Amino acid sequence: MGLSKRVSSWTVEDVLEWVQEQCPAHMDALYKAFIKHAISGRALLRLKGPHLQVLGVAGEEQQQDILQDLLLLRVREEIDELSDICSDCFSPQQEK
C-alpha cells in the first residue's frame, strides 16, 4: 500500500486497499459505496458518522470502529503536514 503517500493524495484504489486492510468486515458495503461516490483520500479524511450510515454502515459499533481508524488517519495527516512545515522552516536557506 502507498502508506508513504499522504492520505490526502490517496486515490480511490488506495482508499479501497486501506479499507480492505483496516475494515475487512465492512469491505462489501464500503467497497461499492466508495467506488460509486469516488471516495479519495481527501474525502475519506472528511467522513463522519452520518456519512458512514449513508454508505451502508448501519451499526453504531461498526461506525465507531471505522471512525476510530479515520481519526488515526487524520492525526497521521496532521503530523505529516506539521513535519512539512517544520522542515521548510528549519531547512538551510539556499543562497541566491
Side-chain angles (χ1 to χ4, degrees):
M1 160 147 222
L3 288 179
S4 60
K5 289 194 314 188
R6 304 250 318 242
V7 178
S8 58
S9 67
W10 284 2
T11 63
V12 174
E13 291 78 19
D14 293 327
V15 170
L16 293 174
E17 190 173 332
W18 175 83
V19 169
Q20 187 173 11
E21 290 174 9
Q22 295 298 316
C23 314
H26 310 294
M27 186 63 183
D28 290 339
L30 293 178
Y31 189 86
K32 291 176 187 174
F34 280 14
I35 290 173
K36 178 182 178 182
H37 297 285
I39 303 295
S40 65
R42 292 179 80 82
L44 183 68
L45 291 170
R46 292 182 174 92
L47 288 180
K48 305 284 187 223
H51 300 126
L52 292 176
Q53 195 166 16
V54 169
L55 292 172
V57 181
E60 189 171 331
E61 185 176 328
Q62 296 169 328
Q63 288 179 13
Q64 290 304 314
D65 289 344
I66 295 170
L67 290 172
Q68 186 173 8
D69 289 333
L70 290 174
L71 179 59
L72 293 173
L73 284 180
R74 289 184 194 107
V75 168
R76 187 175 122 202
E77 185 74 6
E78 290 292 325
I79 289 170
D80 288 346
E81 287 179 16
L82 289 171
S83 178
D84 288 350
I85 291 168
C86 288
S87 66
D88 289 345
C89 291
F90 297 112
S91 64
Q93 296 290 328
Q94 293 181 355
E95 292 185 29
K96 292 184 178 182

